[in-house]
Amino acid sequence: MKNKAINILNENWRDGYTVPCKDLYPFQWLWDSGFIAIGYAHFDMDKALQEIKTLLNSQWENGFLPHIVFHKKSDTYFPGESFHQANLHPLANKNYPSTGMTQPPVTGFVLEKILKISKNNNEVLNFIKKNIDSVYKNHHYLYTNRDINNEGLVYIYHNWESGTDNSPIWDDIWATMGAPEINFKRLDTNVVDASERPTNKDYYNYLHIINIAKKYAYNDAAIAKHSPFLIQDPLFNSILIKSNTALINLYKIIGGNTSKIEQLQKWQEKSISSFNKKLYDEELNAYVHYDLRNEKPIRYITSSSFSPLFAGICSNERAKKLAHTIQTKFGSKNLYLCASFDPENERFNPVKYWRGPVWVNLNWMLYYGLKDYGYTSLANKIKSDTIELIEKAGFYEYFDARKTSYKQNTKGCGGYNFSWSAALLIDLINKN
Ligand code: DGY
């Protein structure tokens, strides 16, 4: 299995970065790159470091990191560079065409993890010394431009910024938007069965928000004022908090940098406190998304609801409640852990992208989070379910959680030979 995973990563490697999946995703994606680098770190540290370096090279002058870097032209992906037009923003990177939206800021915790995998290797430490300030600058960008209430919780303005693209949590927002029909040609459904991808109507919403952002030349303040989609996402904010912790630890290892450490600690304190006050739902026993535009919580349980475990945000008492919610709602004996959306909810769809299937990257975060809080057997169950799914159904992008769906030769869903499924499998089967 490990060899197969290594082959997938090597095959998806382009010159200096890795595509998440041939044809379906033919460029460099921010959070994919981070998870992918963790996989490489176990067998090819040069590639791990190059992956991160290429990503950081695409940074904008204001610290922003784009969600896709369009390194090469491709005729298998829409919407590409010419639709996004990120260069409307005056500080966009002149050398790396990209989108004008970001993705969960994984880079900080990825650097710390890579250093750990390398057993504090000097070359890796030197790389971190040279590049850590770019990651700090990215956090600075997020806290200064995306935290409009100055509460330590940053917003996302597009569902693609969450990473959980077509989650049912966005459905009510789409209903308020009245997005116009746009004439365009879907390319993703040439590669993956349409039943496993977002609908055309979903795409009208996605493109409509981009068109609004373009109208304001991707100006953050204008987007905060005008975007119909403005969300405080527990997954995005957990990852930011996890990466804050990593940056603090890494700066301490490097030495000096006192003012940056102090700033990170200030952000961190405020973020954790607001996160616990604002995003926890006592009735659902889970963290939820908050809709800033319509000023209300979005009261659904998703796998993102448990991401605070990964970032060490919750008290032991809340961790116990989260573990209980996972076990009772997501952990019936007929299901693999962990569905991406509440399997008891009518919006659950077991094969449609982020509307229910199991994702390896979320499982990977839950595994480490539960382990850190002492829920070892639940953590190990998530780990063994992940490995079993890949063994049974292949290195796919996502997986039906229902055990009864798996007959002989049943395949996973979405893209095949998916890079982060390979990369994180390598990490999971390594002796942790
Ligand atoms: C897609 O095209 O589905 C990507 O997830 C956007 O980031």
Side-chain angles (χ1 to χ4, degrees):
M1 249 185 138
K2 185 173 173 187
N3 285 344
K4 168 83 181 138
I6 290 175
N7 287 342
I8 291 173
L9 289 181
N10 285 333
E11 272 168 30
N12 287 344
W13 172 258
R14 303 290 178 266
D15 204 12
Y17 68 97
T18 307
V19 297
C21 182
K22 188 173 164 284
D23 295 339
L24 183 60
Y25 306 121
F27 312 107
Q28 184 176 28
W29 262 256
L30 194 168
W31 76 329
D32 293 76
S33 253
F35 294 122
I36 288 165
I38 290 172
Y40 281 129
H42 286 284
F43 69 97
D44 188 339
M45 191 54 88
D46 283 352
K47 279 191 180 160
L49 301 184
Q50 273 192 63
E51 182 79 39
I52 298 300
K53 183 68 193 141
T54 308
L55 185 70
L56 294 176
N57 284 347
S58 74
Q59 187 164 41
W60 294 11
E61 278 173 54
N62 59 354
F64 173 89
L65 281 174
H67 110 286
I68 306 177
V69 193
F70 298 112
H71 291 285
K72 285 186 188 152
K73 299 265 176 263
S74 162
D75 52 11
T76 61
Y77 186 84
F78 175 85
E81 178 188 344
S82 60
F83 186 89
H84 283 277
Q85 296 172 13
N87 54 4
L88 289 168
H89 193 290
L91 301 178
N93 190 306
K94 307 281 178 288
N95 301 320
Y96 292 86
S98 73
T99 60
M101 66 180 81
T102 190
Q103 247 182 349
V106 294
T107 328
F109 81 71
V110 168
L111 286 181
E112 190 184 27
K113 174 84 184 170
I114 288 179
L115 183 65
K116 190 170 167 214
I117 295 169
S118 82
K119 303 201 169 60
N120 297 326
N121 169 290
N122 254 338
E123 186 207 344
V124 178
L125 193 57
N126 282 335
F127 177 88
I128 292 173
K129 276 185 196 158
K130 279 198 199 123
N131 292 288
I132 189 170
D133 284 349
S134 307
V135 185
Y136 177 86
K137 206 173 152 194
N138 181 238
H139 289 215
H140 186 269
Y141 158 81
L142 290 169
Y143 280 113
T144 43
N145 295 285
R146 298 289 192 104
D147 181 15
I148 40 175
N149 296 332
N150 197 17
E151 58 189 335
L153 296 174
V154 303
Y155 73 74
I156 54 171
Y157 82 85
H158 197 287
N159 54 302
W160 280 341
E161 290 198 318
S162 71
T164 59
D165 300 1
N166 69 338
S167 172
I169 36 184
W170 318 131
D171 290 3
D172 298 325
I173 302 176
W174 304 145
T176 67
M177 264 176 37
E181 285 191 19
I182 298 177
N183 197 9
F184 69 98
K185 193 165 159 15
R186 286 287 287 276
L187 296 173
D188 54 326
T189 43
N190 293 342
V191 186
V192 170
D193 195 297
S195 64
E196 296 172 9
R197 293 288 301 171
T199 61
N200 282 351
K201 221 165 151 214
D202 289 332
Y203 265 74
Y204 296 148
N205 294 313
Y206 307 170
L207 301 178
H208 181 56
I209 314 176
I210 298 174
N211 279 335
I212 293 172
K214 284 194 310 203
K215 181 168 159 201
Y216 297 103
Y218 289 104
N219 176 283
D220 288 304
I223 288 174
K225 210 161 155 206
H226 299 286
S227 173
F229 186 107
L230 212 67
I231 301 289
Q232 288 167 326
D233 178 344
L235 176 61
F236 193 106
N237 279 282
S238 288
I239 288 179
L240 177 61
I241 289 169
K242 177 79 175 172
S243 285
N244 281 338
T245 307
L247 291 185
I248 293 168
N249 294 342
L250 291 172
Y251 274 128
K252 283 186 179 161
I253 293 173
I254 292 169
N257 295 292
T258 330
S259 59
K260 285 180 201 141
I261 294 175
E262 276 168 16
Q263 180 59 73
L264 283 158
Q265 280 164 338
K266 267 193 212 146
W267 286 329
Q268 190 73 325
E269 221 172 281
K270 200 194 271 186
S271 292
I272 292 179
S273 153
S274 297
F275 196 115
N276 277 316
K277 277 198 202 107
K278 193 170 183 181
L279 303 185
Y280 192 71
D281 190 308
E282 296 283 353
E283 272 174 38
L284 295 177
N285 278 327
Y287 289 86
V288 296
H289 295 67
Y290 189 85
D291 180 346
L292 272 178
R293 175 60 65 234
N294 300 297
E295 292 201 15
K296 56 175 190 202
I298 309 179
R299 305 192 56 235
Y300 291 100
I301 311 176
T302 65
S303 47
S304 304
S305 299
F306 312 119
S307 55
L309 291 164
F310 176 63
I313 291 169
C314 43
S315 62
N316 288 336
E317 192 198 330
R318 282 211 179 145
K320 191 171 173 190
K321 290 185 176 163
L322 293 183
H324 184 256
T325 307
I326 296 175
Q327 257 155 338
T328 50
K329 274 198 166 282
F330 291 67
S332 98
K333 64 178 181 345
N334 306 321
L335 293 175
Y336 284 110
L337 284 169
C338 179
S340 47
F341 188 71
D342 182 353
E344 294 174 359
N345 191 282
E346 60 187 17
R347 292 184 181 180
F348 175 75
N349 179 332
V351 296
K352 211 169 180 61
Y353 210 34
W354 287 95
R355 302 184 72 87
V358 175
W359 285 77
V360 174
N361 65 334
L362 261 295
N363 270 14
W364 181 88
M365 286 187 262
L366 291 186
Y367 165 69
Y368 281 107
L370 285 163
K371 211 162 87 138
D372 285 349
Y373 278 92
Y375 294 93
T376 316
S377 66
L378 186 55
N380 285 336
K381 172 89 174 59
I382 292 195
K383 174 170 157 173
S384 59
D385 279 8
T386 313
I387 296 170
E388 189 177 320
L389 278 169
I390 297 176
E391 251 165 7
K392 269 207 170 109
F395 283 92
Y396 274 84
E397 188 181 5
Y398 41 96
F399 302 88
D400 188 337
R402 296 166 309 173
K403 292 191 173 165
T404 48
S405 303
Y406 293 87
K407 314 272 168 332
Q408 236 184 352
N409 299 326
T410 302
K411 303 282 177 240
C413 309
Y416 182 48
N417 281 350
F418 194 73
S419 297
W420 82 33
S421 300
L424 297 177
L425 185 275
I426 294 172
D427 186 68
L428 285 175
I429 60 178
N430 191 57
K431 304 240 171 315
N432 294 298

